[in-house]
Amino acid sequence: QVQLVESGGGLVRAGGSLRLSCTVSGSLDDINVMRWFRQAPGKQRESVATITNGGTTVYADSVKGRFTISRNSVKNKLYLEMNNLKPEDTAVYYCNARLGTLLTNYWGQGTQVTVSS
């Protein structure tokens, strides 16, 4: 299993930038995929960005060209660089790791991102 702790959220004006971080500990070698999700009030949690062990990245259409997911070489840090933020990006952002052959999901506690217009 792994433990995930997000940081870096906050309040920013539209057009601004934030960088989210996720510190990962535990069975790092068992991680297959890591993702950033977000959940806005009254909405379902949605996948924002994905990075595989091979380094392939996938983004939701709503954030393409504005957000960048990355991680360090030892896989104990996951990042989400968010540029040109919009009010509709306001949500709680969660770090997610999927492990092993059973594809077990682990979640962080979330970090709030608020974008004012």
Side-chain angles (χ1 to χ4, degrees):
Q1 61 181 20
V2 295
Q3 295 77 43
L4 308 170
V5 179
E6 301 97 335
S7 61
L11 174 64
V12 64
R13 289 189 175 184
S17 299
L18 281 174
R19 189 192 197 205
L20 304 184
S21 298
C22 175
T23 300
V24 188
S25 58
S27 303
L28 302 183
D29 289 343
D30 292 337
I31 297 174
N32 300 318
V33 176
M34 294 204 70
R35 290 187 171 94
W36 285 98
F37 282 76
R38 68 185 181 188
Q39 187 165 19
K43 295 189 176 181
Q44 287 189 327
R45 192 172 295 189
E46 63 173 350
S47 177
V48 172
T50 300
I51 187 165
T52 69
N53 275 349
T56 300
T57 57
V58 179
Y59 297 93
D61 287 343
S62 59
V63 306
K64 274 182 187 175
R66 300 188 298 122
F67 289 14
T68 303
I69 188 172
S70 63
R71 64 179 183 209
N72 65 356
S73 58
V74 296
K75 295 193 292 186
N76 66 348
K77 285 280 192 180
L78 181 73
Y79 304 102
L80 185 68
E81 186 74 35
M82 305 185 294
N83 297 314
N84 190 23
L85 282 161
K86 304 176 180 181
E88 51 264 42
D89 295 319
T90 295
V92 178
Y93 283 71
Y94 297 91
C95 179
N96 167 271
R98 181 175 290 182
L99 271 65
T101 56
L102 295 179
L103 304 181
T104 305
N105 279 296
Y106 292 84
W107 297 90
Q109 83 288 352
T111 185
Q112 176 70 47
V113 171
T114 303
V115 184
S116 63
S117 56

